[in-house]
């Protein structure tokens, strides 16, 4: 599984740009972004194939392990959406190890920006 980091998230984490991804199947690719809600940094994740998006509130210490943070957010989000824990674990097993990469393309980042606008609208 590839986790594509936006430039703002790379700066927030104080990371150098990661390598480009090599995963041909977008079902196992997500783009991640940092957003600020009510003064707190949150994780915004968008699935590159299906455009499913979730927002996850984050404590400062959780940012140190981004793959674990993403996994926890995904588990919580998909469980809340009605998927069983077994279904989520099956998806994660099929996706394989989590690699941090650059974002997966202009369309995907455009949708990430759209999801951010939707989060802002619902936050008001």
């Amino acid at each position: 599984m590839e986790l594509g980091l936006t430039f703002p998230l790379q700066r927030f984490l104080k990371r150098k740009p990661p390598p480009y991804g090599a995963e041909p199947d977008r079902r196992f690719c997500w783009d991640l972004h940092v957003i600020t809600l009510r003064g707190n940094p949150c994780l915004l994740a968008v699935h590159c194939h299906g455009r499913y998006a979730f927002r996850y509130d984050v404590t400062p210490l959780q940012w140190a392990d981004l793959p674990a943070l993403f996994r926890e957010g995904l588990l919580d989000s998909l469980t809340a959406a009605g998927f069983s824990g077994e279904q989520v674990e099956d998806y994660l097993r099929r996706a394989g190890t989590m690699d941090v990469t650059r974002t997966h393309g202009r369309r995907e980042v455009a949708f990430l920006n759209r999801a951010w606008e939707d989060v802002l609208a619902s936050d008001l």
Side-chain angles (χ1 to χ4, degrees):
M1 177 181 300
E2 291 181 352
L3 307 177
L5 307 186
T6 62
F7 289 125
L9 181 55
Q10 291 171 37
R11 285 191 298 272
F12 176 78
L13 297 173
K14 296 179 173 86
R15 289 190 179 185
K16 293 183 180 181
Y20 287 100
E23 175 62 57
D25 190 347
R26 296 282 194 207
R27 291 177 295 174
F28 303 117
C29 298
W30 292 77
D31 282 340
L32 309 180
H33 187 51
V34 61
I35 60 174
T36 303
L37 291 176
R38 295 179 214 104
N40 298 314
C42 300
L43 176 69
L44 178 64
V46 174
H47 187 244
C48 293
H49 180 75
R51 305 296 196 248
Y52 177 81
F54 70 89
R55 174 193 59 84
Y56 196 62
D57 294 329
V58 181
T59 64
L61 294 176
Q62 287 178 296
W63 288 108
D65 187 355
L66 193 60
L69 169 63
F70 169 78
R71 180 183 173 82
E72 184 178 330
L74 182 65
L75 285 168
D76 288 354
S77 176
L78 291 178
T79 302
F83 291 92
S84 71
E86 290 175 357
Q87 288 173 313
V88 178
E89 287 298 331
D90 182 54
Y91 170 75
L92 290 170
R93 193 172 26 263
R94 289 176 187 222
T97 60
M98 292 185 196
D99 297 319
V100 174
T101 67
R102 294 180 188 222
T103 54
H104 293 89
R106 293 167 68 168
R107 285 186 205 175
E108 288 81 356
V109 172
F111 192 82
L112 187 70
N113 289 331
R114 176 55 198 241
W116 172 220
E117 291 172 7
D118 291 345
V119 168
L120 281 177
S122 67
D123 188 50
L124 298 176

